[in-house]
Amino acid sequence: MGMPSEAASNALIWCTYAVFLCVGCFIAWQYRHQSKEMFISSNRTQSAIPLALNFVASAMGSAILFSYPEISTIVGLQGLLTYAACSALPLMAFAFLGPILRKKLPDGFILTEWVRFRYGIVATTFIGFLTLATMFLYMIAELSALQGIINSLTGLDGLPVVIVQVVVTTIYTSLGGFKVSFMTDNIQGVMICGLVLICTIAIGTTVEIDRSLIHSSGLLNDSKLGYQLIYILFIGIITSDMFLSPLWLRTFASRSDKDLFIGVSLATVMVFIILTLVGSTGLIAVWSGIPMEGQGYIAFFLLMEKLPAWVVGMVVVMVVALSTAVFDSLQSAMVSSASTDIFRNRIPLIYIRGLVVLVIIPVIVLALKSPSVLQIYMIANLAASASIPQLFLGLSDKFFWLRGIDVTIGGLGGIFSVFLFGLVYYDGDATAASKLLILATLYAPDWSVFGVFVVAPVAGLLITFATAGIRLGVEFQLAKQSGRRFEGLDRPVEVARPSEDLVHNPAPESPSKNNFDA
């Protein structure tokens, strides 16, 4: 029972990576003559089922083996279902926002292209930085989680596995770009679903539950924290998902709006089921009599010790598939975002491929320091909740008067407002207040974390409106003094939708009252 042998573990890990490398390189060879545009995106080419598998593979990483079982040991079934639902349901946002953005920018493939078109260079720089920073942090979190999981499941040093994964995904992603990432995610998505099913059956037929522990554990009871998490997790996850370019690339890759809706709907259901099954291992571990003693984050691995070695081996393969799928998606998306946001798609393809390699070096260095995966996600969620709500006001014609400087100051102000909230909440304790900006836990017994995710979006919106009001007031006074007509509240003139040439080879930027400027 428990851990597979060292030889078996090595065989499973290296053979799985070898298969992914061969498949990825074969696909890259098949598409070796693709254009630069196809290297970084694949608009309107994919049907519903491949989209669903891709959203499944891209929306989850190996870190789910830590976080979801842990929440079930702390907040019980209520917390688990809340976490799973709040992770899955935000995917539906892409089914609704995708068609809207595609009408406004038919040849776009990531969110920041619309931000540039709607708000101009100031907001694009701000949102582009947060997008790249979020994906960079997620890559660190994924490698950090992978290292810990491999060590826990096999007893092997996780560092060689991390390095090999980075080498494998870098090779086929730098050769084939988004197309390779998409097609390998199809394979990995099928593998993940199949392996989760096999492991579920194995746990159900192997682990014995002490029924007397079910009621006494209190894990079926509701709690204040459980209700708080409904809001905290939904706001944090749905806004941070907006910064994940892998999901936007797959959104715009849908062949039609119908394919997108069906694909995302299927993915939402599948993700919810998978996360619930994974998280339920925490409940099963407690009810089977395994002592937690504050070690809920390793509940999954403690339960694995009760299972046959072959089941643990299947989990190892699932972990490799999960991690590889997420990591190559983040790699290709980071290159697409950097190429578009920083270089405006003007650099040759070979340099774009070089970017894939360069970005990995600092990721590995930081991942080896084993940072808290939960803390990384919480920081990303905080920044997103302060910046995203006011950004999407620009989708409505009623907010035509908003400019890039308004949403940028609103986002920065929303983040800073968390510190001010902390000063008030902790009676002027600046040290405690500053710690709210780098949230170390999701399970605080008080209202601090809940307050953070209320203050950040609300303050961001209020500061955005206040900034817009001040800006319009200044513009009005300047127009009045100079005798010019005040144009701050003039609706923009409808312009033709940008063609592919405009998106991929734009003219130099300059403010124009025929468009939304910065």
Side-chain angles (χ1 to χ4, degrees), residues 122 126 390 404-415 459-460 463-464 467:
V122 174
F126 176 61
Q390 59 269 25
I405 191 65
D406 305 331
V407 298
T408 300
I409 294 177
L412 293 172
I415 297 172
I463 294 172
T464 296
T467 303

Side-chain angles (χ1 to χ4, degrees), residues 109-140:
F109 53 88
I110 53 176
L111 177 65
T112 46
E113 287 192 296
W114 170 74
V115 175
R116 181 181 290 271
F117 178 68
R118 169 59 179 84
Y119 289 110
I121 189 63
V122 174
T124 303
T125 302
F126 176 61
I127 298 300
F129 170 78
L130 291 180
T131 297
L132 292 173
T134 297
M135 291 191 289
F136 184 80
L137 289 173
Y138 274 44
M139 292 169 78
I140 294 172

Side-chain angles (χ1 to χ4, degrees), residues 97 100-101 104 114 118-119 390-399:
L97 292 175
I100 297 173
L101 291 178
K104 294 180 179 293
W114 170 74
R118 169 59 179 84
Y119 289 110
Q390 59 269 25
L391 185 74
F392 280 106
L393 292 178
L395 289 174
S396 171
D397 293 337
K398 294 179 180 179
F399 296 96

Side-chain angles (χ1 to χ4, degrees), residues 246-408:
L247 301 180
W248 285 112
L249 283 165
R250 283 148 180 80
T251 298
F252 286 106
S254 58
R255 184 178 298 164
S256 65
D257 293 345
K258 181 180 178 180
D259 284 306
L260 175 62
F261 183 82
I262 294 174
V264 172
S265 298
L266 291 173
T268 298
V269 174
M270 294 163 69
V271 168
F272 176 77
I273 293 173
I274 291 172
L275 294 180
T276 301
L277 291 174
V278 170
S280 65
T281 57
L283 300 174
I284 296 171
V286 173
W287 295 339
S288 64
I290 298 175
M292 289 294 107
E293 299 176 357
Q295 300 185 94
Y297 66 98
I298 59 170
F300 179 87
F301 307 101
L302 294 174
L303 184 64
M304 288 296 105
E305 295 177 359
K306 291 194 170 190
L307 298 178
W310 70 267
V311 177
V312 179
M314 299 290 277
V315 173
V316 170
V317 175
M318 181 186 73
V319 167
V320 171
L322 267 172
S323 188
T324 305
V326 169
F327 199 77
D328 70 25
S329 297
L330 289 169
Q331 276 183 297
S332 65
M334 180 168 274
V335 171
S336 297
S337 295
S339 174
T340 302
D341 299 339
I342 299 175
F343 302 105
R344 300 297 295 135
N345 295 314
R346 293 191 177 105
I347 62 174
L349 187 58
I350 188 171
Y351 296 119
I352 299 177
R353 287 171 169 159
L355 286 174
V356 182
V357 179
L358 290 177
V359 77
I360 295 305
I361 299 173
V363 170
I364 295 177
V365 172
L366 293 173
L368 294 181
K369 297 182 182 295
S370 299
S372 167
V373 174
L374 177 62
Q375 190 171 16
I376 289 175
Y377 290 147
M378 292 292 284
I379 292 171
N381 290 353
L382 171 58
S385 64
S387 308
I388 288 296
Q390 59 269 25
L391 185 74
F392 280 106
L393 292 178
L395 289 174
S396 171
D397 293 337
K398 294 179 180 179
F399 296 96
F400 67 90
W401 41 270
L402 281 179
R403 297 293 182 265
I405 191 65
D406 305 331
V407 298
T408 300

